[in-house]
Amino acid sequence: MTVNSGSPAWYLRRLSRMGPREVGGRVGDAVRRRRWRSEPPDCPSVTGARFTAVLPAGTFAAIPPDAAKRLIAEADRLMYGHAEFFGVVRDDLTDPDWWCDPKTGRRAPWGYAFDVPYRNEDAVGDIKQIWEPSRHQYLTQLAAAYAITGDERYAERVAEHLRSWWTANPPLRGVHWISGIELGIRLLSWVWIRRLLDGWPGAAGLFERNPVAVNQIWHHQRWLAAFPSRGSSANNHVIAEAAGQFAASCAFGWFPSSARWRTGALRSLERHLRSNTFPSGLNRELATEYHGLVLELGLAAVAEADAADVPVPATIRLVLLRMTDALAAVVDNRLRPPRQGDADDGHGLVVDGAGTDRWASLLATGDAVFGRLAWWPTVTGTDVRTPLLAALIRPYANKGTAPAVARPASRPGHFADAGMTILRGPAEIWCRCDGGPHGFLSIAAHAHADALSVEVRHDGVDVLADPGTFCYHGQPEWRQYFRSTLGHNTLQLDGSDQSVSGGPFLWTRQAHSRVLVADASDASDGGTARWCAEHDGYQPSVHRRRVELTAASQELRIVDEVSGQHGPRRAVRLAFHLGPAIAADLADNRAVLTWTRDGEDRSAVLDLPGQLSWRSHRGETDPPLGWYSPGFGRKEPATTLVGTGFADGSAPLGEFTTVLRFRGPGDE
């Protein structure tokens, strides 16, 4: 059952997931908000402010020409007002309406920020569409284009938009003063905009000599110091808040409170980077896009520290090192990481044009900062951001910036703490097996009900796909589908999810999984890689799954077993979601899969459990079934094969075997 976010039932369920300390902190926040409504804080006067956190001379010469070309092409599109946010194409960015949602046509109401019902799409519109341009990351792209070309048109457009935004969004008024992650990322953008515009004659007049800008910068930092994400909400949001606060207090350290804000933000960043990250280096939210976001934010924060010569705890660099090694370990041969958990296309710092590979960029930065290991995949793409960050961040091994640490001597395939196992086979076969925790913290906000799901690719093409996320707010039936058990490559009993949702970012009961076998040896050498795990989400029954990837036959075998039945038989649905490039010809319990990669026809045979009755679904809406979301706000039809039947009354209740066999050239 899904409860609408913001309803009385939702508030009760949300309260039930908080501890006493978090409840006390939120009560204090409420008191502070009431006081600020009647007595808003005033920015102290600032004189003689200077911006000194500039890039070293020669930095822009290190930017690869093709990366610069992509960025400038993007900047030119922006100059004509063209942009796309979450699948919505816009042509109004020459003079944006900061409060309008172009998807619904609604404008958010004016008023005291904390009174705005931002979760209510009928009143506000799609809040993500409103918030995203106000992260000002498209302005960092324009500023970077100025820095590379010296063309003042880009700088002047940046200045126009910042002045427009500051006028339209005075402190504590409206939707852009509600969420801390928005303020934190916006501050980080402003720091980089000022840095990238440093050669422009109007830069100081736009920022440090502009009382309106100074007032905005101060209020953003004051807000973040007052209303940090707490307790069950201390996920990637608190990292963004701390990184933005720290960056601003280093680069814009013009205020009496700057040193205190800097110290507090650094303490928060260090604490929450550790708490948000498994010792293996994977992000605890088990949502890959947020692994990328947190890594970007952490690297940007360290860049500010080194630019300002502010010491940071060695643990911060160590966590970022482990996150980078973990990312290098889990990507497929095309540098695509798992599609796991929520994904909203959030970035920490954007200075690149369309077509830049996010994951290749992060690995390139990791190479520049930490040094690549021999088993890392080769990064062939280029980007603008890596040379900029590398110009500021001290290399990991220099000047005692980090303790000596043992890094993996070979590519890890099993991450026990995160419950993630990557099986690899011949012909670029890649398989992710999920036997980890449901999610992070008591609400597991960005988790999906996907225990024991598998994700299979062949040369980077989704064959058995994780369908993705699509949306957060405003479309509850779609939010429910994309995070449901049926929306993943796993088994469902009695039409129920393994974990119980209490709202779009809230789980009130979470399935517990455990991995029993994880032999992730690379099967491409002629052997067999094996994995086995189980979960308790269908009590009193237990779902156990075994996966074997055999090199010689290029075969993936999946065996699902339901045991522990007490009482009548249970209804079974087993789903396999195919990637959007895959065509399927289903006859009885056999599906022939075909696709094209780099102009070459490829195929596989999927033999499905004969005890179940199989149907193909594609692009259905009532209810949703047969969809793939390539990015936030976007979805496209894709084939889903669903088998239905019953587990009988014996123990074990049923064993369902699925075999995926990839065909080589000339195979029949």
Side-chain angles (χ1 to χ4, degrees), residues 29-292:
D29 290 346
V31 171
R32 193 172 297 109
R33 287 167 183 159
R34 292 187 64 181
R35 186 172 72 247
W36 282 20
R37 177 200 295 270
S38 57
E39 300 176 15
D42 293 325
C43 174
S45 60
V46 172
T47 57
R50 296 176 59 236
F51 182 84
T52 58
V54 298
L55 287 162
T59 296
F60 298 105
I63 295 174
D66 58 331
K69 183 177 179 180
R70 287 195 305 271
L71 169 63
I72 293 165
E74 184 72 17
D76 288 341
R77 283 192 290 271
L78 291 168
M79 290 295 290
Y80 283 106
H82 302 309
E84 181 178 333
F85 299 111
F86 308 135
V88 176
V89 176
R90 299 181 60 165
D91 59 5
D92 62 339
L93 280 204
T94 53
D95 184 19
D97 182 340
W98 303 107
W99 291 47
C100 182
D101 164 28
K103 190 172 81 174
T104 64
R106 299 187 182 100
R107 295 192 80 252
W110 175 261
Y112 184 56
F114 299 113
D115 291 342
V116 177
Y118 70 97
R119 296 188 180 96
N120 184 345
E121 186 169 302
D122 291 336
V124 174
D126 184 335
I127 192 61
K128 290 281 287 180
Q129 288 289 342
I130 296 173
W131 277 344
E132 189 67 15
S134 289
R135 290 187 172 187
H136 290 168
Q137 292 175 325
Y138 78 95
L139 295 182
T140 58
Q141 292 172 306
L142 288 172
Y146 163 76
I148 291 172
T149 66
D151 188 335
E152 295 193 357
R153 294 180 306 119
Y154 300 123
E156 289 163 358
R157 177 61 58 81
V158 171
E160 290 170 11
H161 282 205
L162 284 178
R163 290 190 174 105
S164 167
W165 194 93
W166 291 331
T167 299
N169 297 278
L172 304 177
R173 310 300 293 183
V175 292
H176 297 301
W177 291 89
I178 295 172
S179 174
I181 188 174
E182 304 305 316
L183 277 75
I185 290 176
R186 194 155 52 238
L187 276 177
L188 188 59
S189 295
W190 292 352
V191 168
W192 274 91
I193 289 168
R194 176 61 184 86
R195 174 175 290 129
L196 293 165
L197 294 184
D198 191 63
W200 180 52
L206 179 62
F207 279 94
E208 56 265 33
R209 293 206 292 267
N210 180 358
V212 175
V214 170
N215 185 55
Q216 286 274 353
I217 292 167
W218 183 85
H219 272 282
H220 272 66
Q221 294 186 80
R222 170 84 176 204
W223 194 108
L224 290 170
F227 302 113
S229 293
R230 302 179 182 276
S232 57
S233 294
N235 52 13
N236 63 86
H237 283 231
V238 77
I239 303 292
E241 294 161 8
Q245 175 81 295
F246 180 72
S249 59
C250 287
F252 301 145
W254 309 324
F255 309 104
S257 298
S258 290
R260 175 170 56 84
W261 288 338
R262 185 164 54 246
T263 299
L266 185 59
R267 184 185 304 116
S268 176
L269 184 67
E270 192 273 338
R271 172 190 170 194
H272 290 292
L273 271 176
R274 283 190 295 105
S275 64
N276 274 252
T277 309
F278 286 113
S280 66
L282 290 178
N283 184 265
R284 287 184 185 270
E285 292 199 76
L286 296 174
T288 307
E289 290 284 339
Y290 289 111
H291 183 107

Side-chain angles (χ1 to χ4, degrees), residues 75 84 173 226 232 312 351 372 383 430 491 517 557 584 626 636:
E84 181 178 333
R173 310 300 293 183
S232 57
V312 300
V351 289
R372 72 185 310 275
D383 69 317
W430 176 98
L491 181 143
V517 176
R557 180 176 294 265
E636 59 186 277

Side-chain angles (χ1 to χ4, degrees), residues 548-561:
E548 293 183 352
L549 176 58
T550 303
S553 57
Q554 294 192 44
E555 177 181 287
L556 186 79
R557 180 176 294 265
I558 304 169
V559 180
D560 291 291
E561 177 185 308

Side-chain angles (χ1 to χ4, degrees), residues 574-595:
L574 181 60
F576 289 106
H577 300 263
L578 308 182
I582 308 299
D585 182 7
L586 176 66
D588 296 325
N589 66 315
R590 169 169 283 199
V592 177
L593 314 181
T594 55
W595 67 97

Side-chain angles (χ1 to χ4, degrees), residues 561-628:
E561 177 185 308
V562 181
S563 62
Q565 168 76 9
H566 300 284
R569 62 184 185 170
R570 305 192 70 170
V572 170
R573 282 201 291 187
L574 181 60
F576 289 106
H577 300 263
L578 308 182
I582 308 299
D585 182 7
L586 176 66
D588 296 325
N589 66 315
R590 169 169 283 199
V592 177
L593 314 181
T594 55
W595 67 97
T596 301
R597 179 58 149 167
D598 297 333
E600 179 184 332
D601 292 336
R602 306 191 184 187
S603 65
V605 174
L606 185 63
D607 285 318
L608 301 157
Q611 311 99 300
L612 303 178
S613 176
W614 289 90
R615 286 188 57 194
S616 176
H617 304 264
R618 186 177 180 87
E620 298 173 10
T621 58
D622 190 18
L625 187 60
W627 295 92
Y628 178 94

Side-chain angles (χ1 to χ4, degrees), residues 372-387:
R372 72 185 310 275
L373 297 173
W375 55 262
W376 274 31
T378 300
V379 176
T380 56
T382 61
D383 69 317
V384 172
R385 189 177 61 190
T386 289

